[in-house]
Amino acid sequence: MKRFLIPNKLKSNGVTENVSSVLDPSKIYFPCTSTTVVESIKPDSKQTNSDELLKLNVIDLSSTCDESAVQPVINFPCTVISGKHRCFQSSWYSKYPWLEYSITLNAVFCYYCRHFPPHLTVSQSHTEKDALINRGYSDWKNISNLTKKHENTSSHKNAVIKYNSWLSTKKTGSVSSQINQQVKDQIINNRKTLTSIIRCILYCSRQDIGIREHKKINSTEDNPNWPCRDVNEGNFLEMIKLLSLENENFKTNFKSLPKNSKYTSPDIQNDLIKAASNLTLRKIVKEVNLGSNIFSLIVDEARDESKIEQMSVCIRYVYDSKIKERFLGFIELNELNAQALCNGLILFLNNTGLDIGECVSQSYDGASVMSGEFSSVQTKIRTLAKSPCPYIHCHAHRLNLVLVNVTQNVQEVGEIIGLLEAVFAFQLVSTLRHYAFFQETNFKIPQHCDTRWVSKYKSIQFFKTHFGSILKVLNTFKESSKKREAAEAKGLILQFAKFEVIVILVCLNEILNIVSCLSINLQSSTLNIGQCTMLIKAIKKQISDLREEKKFYELYEQSLIIAQNANISTPSNNDVSSNRMSQGSSRMTDYYITSTTDVICVEMNRRFDENGEFYAVLGVLDQTSKEFLDCETLCKFAKTFPFYWSDEFLIKLKYQCALGKTLFSSSSGLFELLNEVQSYKVGFEELKKVIELIVISVSSASAERSFSTMRRVKTYLRSTMKSSRLNNFTLLSIEREISGQFMDNTSASGGARILVPGGPKLFKEGQIVDFIFLYIIYMNNSNDRHL
């Protein structure tokens, strides 16, 4: 209240004097506050009176709306009016709260009209208006009439309304800011709704569930009595309905979306799936670049439900001290020659963001178009990569070929497997037969598969364990009234109820029990070539040990027990020779010996040949070898890759090998060695890169697994699905680890920055919602203001 303190010499002494002549405004304190500009009720700049008041040296009134009306209570100076001493009365403040008193001018003003002056028309007089706005009013005799008259004017009422509106906007914000806030709130709600829609899409994709209905039914035309709520609109829209029933907020927000922006149309569904798929691919490429920056290529082909040949493309790389195998997508093939396959593969890798020059190995099956020595895919890829890029024949395929050759070269084994398939077919054609076998064994008879020998092992193990039960069921069907069924059962019994069958089943069970361990491990996505080599050596030795006399009689005793329990006649002891097969002639070294174990041993040695440069380097990386970390071998190997071929690289590698012989001698395997080298982070970069070259693929099992997903996605009900949509679905389904992160947190910050196709903006990797929003705008080529 310092601005209301008046010097003592200003006190009234009964003599009329000019207040301004004795009051020095520069010595009076007037507080100043910041000015707030409100666009919606800002006074007209032409009507402002600040300049005129300054000319009159009036600085003791409120300068902005933020300040309250100046109403000092002092000894007001008197003025002689009509022969009487008259002065302003402080009681008028309560009667007219809009009055402001200027000590400098000894006059009053209208607080509201000063800050919110009216727009004067030509017919209106400026005298009355200017009195309470510009000049001030000091006729204390007629002030009552003036105030009453002024308070009832429309201009004063409008000024009061504007002031109250200003107070309201000061609390809630301006009209424009309120509109902006409402828009922001609406956008937030729309994004929450779209987040739920995205989760529905991702859920269906990850679970291999069809999104749209197979056939849209119009209840009014096809069946007028069928209510609309019974129409199947597809899994996606039905899931939206379920969310609406369970979540009232989602229901409200979803209904509030404009009818042309529901984001549930088939085109939007495709856009959402494609955007999520693109983001998944870019995350994989990011891991490759941040990890070893090199990769191994895994490719295989299969036919989908539409009889279209699809080539599955997978890669294997090292990231975060772990081996990763990722699925990239399918390539639709119109031609099956090597050049067409190679061109499609290179184009696909370029579109994905991977450089073929960073490919250090390739793994396919044994088809000639893929593995041929002169003009196959592997030779063309090696030429384009400009590096050795060795071809690794899928070890799982090799093992399968070993077992196939055993059945082809050992007649008894092929016949037994054919007999087991016949028993399976016999029980499959009839529900009653199937139920009879199931009641007796409590298990279903395993189905055979030509490409999966694990299924044959399960089948052989089943028939060996339940030999007597299966024979019992066949005997019951032998008495069937159906002549054909009885004849089939009698034929199976004649072939099945033999001691030789039992012996072969027992021997095959023992052999495949060993081989199945290798088969399962070869399908692992984390198995490295060093572990694979050690496992193969162990399997070879274990199979060779089966040829020992002791093991043979052990299996023979098992066969006798099974035969006795099934009432099968067995040979007498005199029929069993104590001597095994004699050593073959030296002239027979190039031919197969017709015994199961010998054939398997020969085939294992032939198919899993350990001669090659990679295997030589593996020996150098074995800590038990005398040549552990031999610098000459490793440098020679590194020279074959152009991106490592430099004198500086080789010099550093030599010093690191010398130091590593002592530092890493306790490591127990190739991958353990890599982990120890990576633990130092710096100082062993060159050695780490060479070891990463060896951690390559050993099988194309990942590509084959992708075909299982393809058959679940592209069923006979979805056989018209295009290849691009099939790619997106299978990628989100197979790479569940990545798509699951999107499900858990659709706006989580990832760190890497991604260029949206066709768009100049960048988004963080984890912000899938923003990515998808911009992608939708790009795909629709329009500005969507709802998001």
Side-chain angles (χ1 to χ4, degrees), residues 446-464:
Q447 185 176 6
H448 287 263
C449 179
D450 292 334
T451 57
R452 292 186 180 181
W453 274 81
V454 175
S455 66
K456 294 188 182 297
Y457 165 62
K458 292 179 180 179
S459 177
I460 290 171
Q461 187 182 44
F462 174 83
F463 279 96
K464 168 186 169 288

Side-chain angles (χ1 to χ4, degrees), residues 420 423-424 427 434 437 443-447 459 462-463 470:
L420 302 186
V423 175
F424 175 81
Q427 62 88 36
H434 172 78
F437 280 98
F443 293 98
K444 294 180 180 179
I445 299 180
Q447 185 176 6
S459 177
F462 174 83
F463 279 96
I470 292 172

